[in-house]
């Protein structure tokens, strides 16, 4: 994290933002939950996402982990679809 990066909940690894459906689009609600294990239950729901806390970690870590999971899921789907295609071609 750089010094000029905002230390807010919205830039935190543990923040899960809420969304709502407006027409056909997902829109950020501007609040969410803190998923850090050390955050007391009563303080997990965050309306003030600009405050930040002592448990804050950069969100890039979460994004990288999420991207890896998505890539692995797509590879697994590709493998299964290839198997289905082989079954369909043999019938």
């Amino acid at each position: 994290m750089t010094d000029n990066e905002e230390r807010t909940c919205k830039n935190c690894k543990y923040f899960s933002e809420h969304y709502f459906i407006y027409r056909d689009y997902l829109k950020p609600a501007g609040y969410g939950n803190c998923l850090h294990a050390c955050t007391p239950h009563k303080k997990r729901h965050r309306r003030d996402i600009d405050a930040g806390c002592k448990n804050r970690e950069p969100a890039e870590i979460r994004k990288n982990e999420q991207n890896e999971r998505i890539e692995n899921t797509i590879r697994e789907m590709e493998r299964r679809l290839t198997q289905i295609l082989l079954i369909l071609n043999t019938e």
Side-chain angles (χ1 to χ4, degrees), residues 58-83:
E60 291 82 31
I61 297 169
R62 180 184 67 213
K63 289 177 184 175
N64 291 339
E65 291 171 353
Q66 211 171 26
N67 287 345
E68 279 184 34
R69 284 195 306 269
I70 290 170
E71 287 176 12
N72 290 337
T73 301
I74 291 173
R75 282 191 200 100
E76 181 64 22
M77 289 171 63
E78 179 186 23
R79 187 182 66 77
R80 290 182 182 191
L81 288 171
T82 302
Q83 291 174 350

Side-chain angles (χ1 to χ4, degrees), residues 17-66:
E17 188 166 15
H18 292 198
Y19 292 86
F20 63 92
I21 298 173
Y22 177 73
R23 297 189 181 164
D24 292 335
Y25 301 98
L26 283 176
K27 299 272 189 175
Y31 57 90
N33 289 52
C34 178
L35 304 177
H36 194 278
C38 293
T39 304
H41 182 71
K42 290 182 179 181
K43 293 185 178 184
R44 286 187 181 226
H45 188 70
R46 305 291 302 225
R47 289 211 175 263
D48 184 12
I49 62 174
D50 295 326
C53 69
K54 64 180 179 176
N55 299 322
R56 188 194 171 284
E57 289 185 29
E60 291 82 31
I61 297 169
R62 180 184 67 213
K63 289 177 184 175
N64 291 339
E65 291 171 353
Q66 211 171 26

